[in-house]
């Protein structure tokens, strides 16, 4: 079984865009792969964050992932900082990473622009830590969104360079983009991606039914120039309908759109109810997991132990190859 690794940041809500674009694929991958999923708290520290809120954010993300179908027994689910080897391998990879390549990363440039007051070295080195995450487990496949392809290229470059300098060690991991990439746009601005940092743009996986109804009701429908083409807002609602509603329901609304008889209120009402129905089991399972934090902590401790067992072995090999041994 090929080994799969992916990571998700603990800060902010997991929303339907994350679910359709990533988490849903992770759940499926578990059937045929050895999967390792990490809640990457060390990455989250590269932008201003609330240290007191962090433990709760981490537990919340673990509960949400398990509620979505990540199985902490079949897969390894753990918190990045609990496995110290990540930072150790990160340091070693630091020493073989060209500064210029880091400075060219679009995510770094975006975040540096957004956080002008805090362009710290961690933000620049973020992709090296990500490479360490992946290589630490010799993962062969990394399911991520399109925005991570540049980081994955760096990961492969570093694997190749390490192998060249110190001898064959790491496989070059493949980027696994979602098969039918449901690109979900912001409800309040359908020209940009749904984002957990923009309230009103997203529907959290744990949103209450009335919250879901209100968000869908307020979704923008009429942006863009009037004309024959479907506006981005309406197109986005159809994308969601496609994901959450029955095929005949989708076909009915499409036909109404073609005829020019579609009423957005009807479309929104149907969509909202179908999202409510789809998210109900996730919301309930998440709540049950969060009601028993000790069990949840035990699951993450167990995950970290199993991750560490692999990481320790790989680091022993890396230390040997890089000369960090007494001979
Ligand atoms: N940078 C990724 C994101 O923002 C999260 C991440 C960290 C990750 N380490 C990873 C993803 C390793 C895949 C593999 O989405």
């Amino acid at each position: 079984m090929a080994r799969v690794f992916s990571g998700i940041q603990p800060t902010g809500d997991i929303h339907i865009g994350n679910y359709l674009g990533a988490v849903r694929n992770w759940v499926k991958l578990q059937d045929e792969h050895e999967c390792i999923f990490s809640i990457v708290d060390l990455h989250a520290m590269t932008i201003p964050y609330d240290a007191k809120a962090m433990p709760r954010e981490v537990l919340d993300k673990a509960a949400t992932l398990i509620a979505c179908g990540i199985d902490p027994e079949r897969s390894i689910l753990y918190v990045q900082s609990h496995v110290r080897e990540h930072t150790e391998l990160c340091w070693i990879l630091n020493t073989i990473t060209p500064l210029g390549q880091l400075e060219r990363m679009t995510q770094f440039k975006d975040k540096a622009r957004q956080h002008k007051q805090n362009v710290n070295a961690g933000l620049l080195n973020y992709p090296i830590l990500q490479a360490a995450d992946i290589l630490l487990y010799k993962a062969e496949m990394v399911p991520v969104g399109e925005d991570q392809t540049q980081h994955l290229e760096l990961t492969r470059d570093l694997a190749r360079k390490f192998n060249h300098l110190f001898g064959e060690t790491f496989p070059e991991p493949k980027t696994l983009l979602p098969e039918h990439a449901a690109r979900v746009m912001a409800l309040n601005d359908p020209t940009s991606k749904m984002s957990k940092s923009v309230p009103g743009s997203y529907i959290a996986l744990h949103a209450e039914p009335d919250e879901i109804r209100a968000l869908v009701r307020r979704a923008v429908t009429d942006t863009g120039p009037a004309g024959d083409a479907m506006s981005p807002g309406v197109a986005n609602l159809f994308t969601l309908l496609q994901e959450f509603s029955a095929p005949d329901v989708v076909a009915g609304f499409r036909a109404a759109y073609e005829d020019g008889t579609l009423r957005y209120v009807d479309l929104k009402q149907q969509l909202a109810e179908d999202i409510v129905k789809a998210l109900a089991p996730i919301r309930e399972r998440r709540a049950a997991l969060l009601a028993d934090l000790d069990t949840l902590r035990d699951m993450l401790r167990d995950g970290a132990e199993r991750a560490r067992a692999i990481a320790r072995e790989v680091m022993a090999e890396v230390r040997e190859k890089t000369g960090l041994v007494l001979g």
Side-chain angles (χ1 to χ4, degrees), residues 11-123:
T11 39
D13 292 335
I14 301 187
H15 55 66
I16 56 172
N18 304 132
Y19 180 74
L20 298 174
V23 179
R24 179 174 64 171
N25 288 314
W26 295 7
V27 172
K28 267 197 237 126
L29 283 166
Q30 297 179 114
D31 295 335
E32 286 168 26
H33 303 280
E34 182 191 346
C35 292
I36 306 176
F37 300 115
S38 186
I39 299 168
V40 293
D41 51 353
L42 298 173
H43 278 107
M45 298 173 72
T46 57
I47 57 173
Y49 74 101
D50 179 353
K52 286 208 181 64
M54 184 67 104
R56 181 67 195 199
E57 291 266 37
V58 167
L59 290 167
D60 175 70
K61 250 39 72 173
T64 305
L65 291 174
I66 296 168
C68 286
I70 299 297
D71 177 349
E73 301 205 340
R74 261 196 306 164
S75 300
I76 297 180
L77 175 67
Y78 75 101
V79 182
Q80 182 189 35
S81 67
H82 296 181
V83 179
R84 308 282 197 270
E85 282 80 355
H86 285 259
T87 47
E88 186 181 4
L89 182 57
C90 180
W91 176 259
I92 292 171
L93 296 179
N94 259 285
T95 65
I96 63 166
T97 307
L99 201 48
Q101 196 171 358
L102 293 176
E103 287 164 342
R104 283 194 297 278
M105 292 284 163
T106 51
Q107 192 167 306
F108 168 68
K109 290 193 279 189
D110 286 348
K111 287 197 181 167
R113 217 176 299 123
Q114 281 166 29
H115 303 277
K116 282 202 182 68
Q117 306 313 316
N118 182 19
V119 183
N120 61 80
L123 198 59

Side-chain angles (χ1 to χ4, degrees), residues 201-219:
S201 85
Y202 68 86
I203 297 174
L205 287 185
H206 62 263
E208 296 291 336
D210 279 341
E211 215 178 323
I212 297 173
R213 293 185 185 106
L215 283 161
V216 175
R217 202 181 315 120
R218 283 198 296 268

Side-chain angles (χ1 to χ4, degrees), residues 39 58-59 62 77-79 296-304:
I39 299 168
V58 167
L59 290 167
L77 175 67
Y78 75 101
V79 182
L296 192 58
R297 288 190 190 99
D298 281 345
M299 288 179 188
L300 292 172
R301 251 191 290 271
D302 174 66

Side-chain angles (χ1 to χ4, degrees), residues 162-213:
F162 185 99
N163 292 345
H164 177 74
L165 288 168
F166 302 109
E168 196 60 33
T169 309
F170 299 117
E172 289 179 34
K174 287 192 188 62
T175 309
L176 212 60
L177 294 174
E179 263 170 44
H180 69 151
R183 202 172 139 79
V184 180
M185 308 306 281
L187 295 174
N188 57 358
D189 171 16
T191 57
S192 52
K193 249 178 73 176
M194 184 172 279
S195 164
K196 64 183 180 182
S197 52
V198 184
S201 85
Y202 68 86
I203 297 174
L205 287 185
H206 62 263
E208 296 291 336
D210 279 341
E211 215 178 323
I212 297 173
R213 293 185 185 106

Side-chain angles (χ1 to χ4, degrees), residues 133-144:
D133 295 344
I134 298 162
L135 299 181
L136 187 55
Y137 302 95
K138 298 191 177 186
E140 292 148 275
M141 285 192 285
V142 184
V144 282

